[in-house]
Amino acid sequence: DDLNAELYARFTRDYPFYADTSHDLAERASLPGAHLTVDLCGGTGATAAVLLEILPPAARIISIDAAGAMQAAGQRALPDPRISWITARAEDAARHIREPADAVVCNSAIWKTATPAVFAEVNQALRPGGRFVFNIGGSFAGLPARTKPRPGPSLNELITAVAIEQYGYKPSPDPRPPAPLTAGLVRAQLSAAGFTVLHTETVTHAGTLEEKRAWLSIPAFARPPGPFTYEQRMEILERAYARADTSQPVTTTWLVVTAEA
């Protein structure tokens, strides 16, 4: 909805995560000389804004996202005529791209899609030799959660503890997660769609606990689940944050994939 979209857009402006990951993907996409780049699952335009900085002045961007509210927020924040905003599913992307694209970039979203169908669509949309670059959050890619022990509980763990202690929360068993999009599985799916996988790489991004708190303040991502109002979730978040060691960085791992049509 509009509120979630506006708060999400504000987060992408106020904190560096999306700009940093967008720069990383753009550097891998071989954009010098590109005429048309697709920002797949582009949300409110955080990646499109970085692409505008890198692409030649006459280049164009197509931002595709299934959420109209996200795109509306992006258009308000980034009213650049070089960007075309198309509300559509990633699985239907090719039918909305009228000429071969030089690159397709997808930041922090590909695991939310039906990847075999999306990979086929992207291959159809790209010119021969065009780049497809995307990243997958570590937990969705089956990467290890951390490389060394944390000095204390995470903010999510503290949220659960506060909710149990002070709000009578009874956590439900975690549902079985979907099979991870491992590097091997992604390679197989991309090859089946007609791509050559140039490389896969695991990278680490470091953020702050304040950044994590801001993310969890967006209603769509607020915790814990269950019969809580948004106001109650924010009370729980603030009490959990007060217990946390804010000096410790919050690190996340990502699988980054570069493929060629």
Side-chain angles (χ1 to χ4, degrees), residues 178-197:
L181 278 170
T182 63
L185 179 58
V186 168
R187 281 180 173 273
Q189 291 183 355
L190 286 168
S191 296
F195 281 99
T196 298
V197 179

Side-chain angles (χ1 to χ4, degrees), residues 13 15 17 49-50 63 78 83 98 130 177-178 183 185 215 224 237 239:
R13 294 192 299 268
Y15 295 93
F17 172 78
V50 170
S63 179
L78 199 64
I83 304 177
R98 307 300 183 189
L185 179 58
W215 177 257
L237 174 60
R239 292 174 183 179

Side-chain angles (χ1 to χ4, degrees), residues 155-174 223-225 227-228 232-233 235-237 239-240 243:
L155 185 56
N156 286 341
E157 291 167 343
L158 289 170
I159 286 170
T160 299
V162 169
I164 292 171
E165 295 166 9
Q166 302 180 25
Y167 292 80
Y169 176 54
K170 296 180 180 179
S172 300
D174 289 335
R223 294 170 181 255
F228 294 98
Q232 287 174 322
R233 288 188 174 95
E235 290 174 2
I236 293 169
L237 174 60
R239 292 174 183 179
R243 294 188 187 182

Side-chain angles (χ1 to χ4, degrees), residues 231-253:
E231 289 72 20
Q232 287 174 322
R233 288 188 174 95
M234 293 303 96
E235 290 174 2
I236 293 169
L237 174 60
E238 292 309 311
R239 292 174 183 179
Y241 187 78
R243 294 188 187 182
D245 180 358
T246 58
S247 68
Q248 295 298 320
V250 178
T251 58
T252 55
T253 55

Side-chain angles (χ1 to χ4, degrees), residues 36-58:
L36 177 64
T37 299
V38 177
D39 181 15
L40 191 65
C41 306
T44 59
T47 298
V50 170
L51 294 174
L52 287 174
E53 299 172 5
I54 295 171
L55 288 165

Side-chain angles (χ1 to χ4, degrees), residues 4-255:
N4 274 290
E6 285 294 344
L7 292 176
Y8 179 90
R10 184 185 305 171
F11 177 88
T12 67
R13 294 192 299 268
D14 291 348
Y15 295 93
F17 172 78
Y18 279 97
D20 291 347
T21 51
S22 296
H23 277 287
D24 178 57
L25 294 177
E27 289 173 0
R28 301 168 189 266
S30 188
L31 295 178
H35 298 287
L36 177 64
T37 299
V38 177
D39 181 15
L40 191 65
C41 306
T44 59
T47 298
V50 170
L51 294 174
L52 287 174
E53 299 172 5
I54 295 171
L55 288 165
R60 295 179 295 112
I61 298 168
I62 296 176
S63 179
I64 297 177
D65 198 280
M70 296 282 274
Q71 292 214 311
Q75 286 180 280
R76 289 191 292 271
L78 199 64
D80 193 297
R82 292 173 291 173
I83 304 177
S84 298
W85 302 85
I86 296 175
T87 304
R89 299 165 65 245
E91 292 84 353
D92 301 322
R95 72 185 64 179
H96 300 284
I97 302 169
R98 307 300 183 189
E99 63 183 271
D102 298 292
V104 174
V105 176
C106 183
N107 190 358
S108 308
I110 199 71
W111 64 87
K112 303 172 188 177
T113 72
T115 48
V118 171
F119 294 167
E121 289 285 305
V122 172
N123 192 61
Q124 183 179 342
L126 282 166
R127 64 167 174 78
R131 289 281 179 93
F132 181 29
V133 185
F134 58 92
N135 53 18
I136 304 173
S139 62
F140 301 101
L143 299 177
R146 63 184 72 93
T147 56
K148 58 182 179 180
R150 280 196 309 258
S154 70
L155 185 56
N156 286 341
E157 291 167 343
L158 289 170
I159 286 170
T160 299
V162 169
I164 292 171
E165 295 166 9
Q166 302 180 25
Y167 292 80
Y169 176 54
K170 296 180 180 179
S172 300
D174 289 335
R176 186 175 181 179
L181 278 170
T182 63
L185 179 58
V186 168
R187 281 180 173 273
Q189 291 183 355
L190 286 168
S191 296
F195 281 99
T196 298
V197 179
L198 300 181
H199 53 80
T200 60
E201 181 181 355
T202 300
V203 302
T204 300
H205 292 285
T208 64
L209 204 65
E210 167 57 30
E211 184 178 39
K212 180 71 172 180
R213 178 172 71 167
W215 177 257
L216 294 173
S217 297
I218 301 171
F221 308 119
R223 294 170 181 255
F228 294 98
T229 66
Y230 175 68
E231 289 72 20
Q232 287 174 322
R233 288 188 174 95
M234 293 303 96
E235 290 174 2
I236 293 169
L237 174 60
E238 292 309 311
R239 292 174 183 179
Y241 187 78
R243 294 188 187 182
D245 180 358
T246 58
S247 68
Q248 295 298 320
V250 178
T251 58
T252 55
T253 55
W254 294 78
L255 178 68

